[in-house]
Amino acid sequence: MNKAIETWRSKRWRDVTARAIAAVPLNYAVTSALTMLLARLLPGGPQQASIGATLLSFPIFAGLAMTAFAVRSVSQLWMGLIATGVAAGLADWCFIIWGGRL
């Protein structure tokens, strides 16, 4: 087999693996941080906000999973997911420290 084809296949395999890891475990972590943030920001009582945030977490997870395979650059995908997760986690932490809801 041609060396260029072998190199292309191994690179493609790494890209698909990196996207799959970003689409499931990393996406789960980012979605959970965003769900906690939404539960603190949504109007209504704590129970209603929690249910609303949980219901919104399903399309968020699906959208991020589809985005993982739609973007061109794997490195930008990872940086975007990590930055979103860190920002949401920091906002959650600030709400907890400042005595936010829930």
Side-chain angles (χ1 to χ4, degrees), residues 18-75:
R19 289 173 191 269
I21 292 171
V24 181
L26 182 59
N27 184 7
Y28 183 80
V30 171
T31 302
S32 65
L34 288 172
T35 302
M36 286 191 305
L37 183 61
L38 280 173
R40 295 181 188 284
L41 296 176
L42 286 175
Q47 296 87 2
Q48 292 173 335
S50 295
I51 290 171
T54 302
L55 288 173
L56 287 173
S57 72
F58 296 109
I60 290 170
F61 186 88
L64 289 175
M66 288 186 282
T67 302
F69 290 96
V71 297
R72 291 182 187 257
S73 172
V74 176
S75 60

Side-chain angles (χ1 to χ4, degrees), residues 4 7 9 13 15 21 24 29 38 41-42 62 79 84-85 93 101:
T7 303
R9 283 187 179 169
W13 178 255
D15 283 351
I21 292 171
V24 181
L38 280 173
L41 296 176
L42 286 175
M79 294 305 291
T84 303
W93 181 76
R101 184 168 102 187

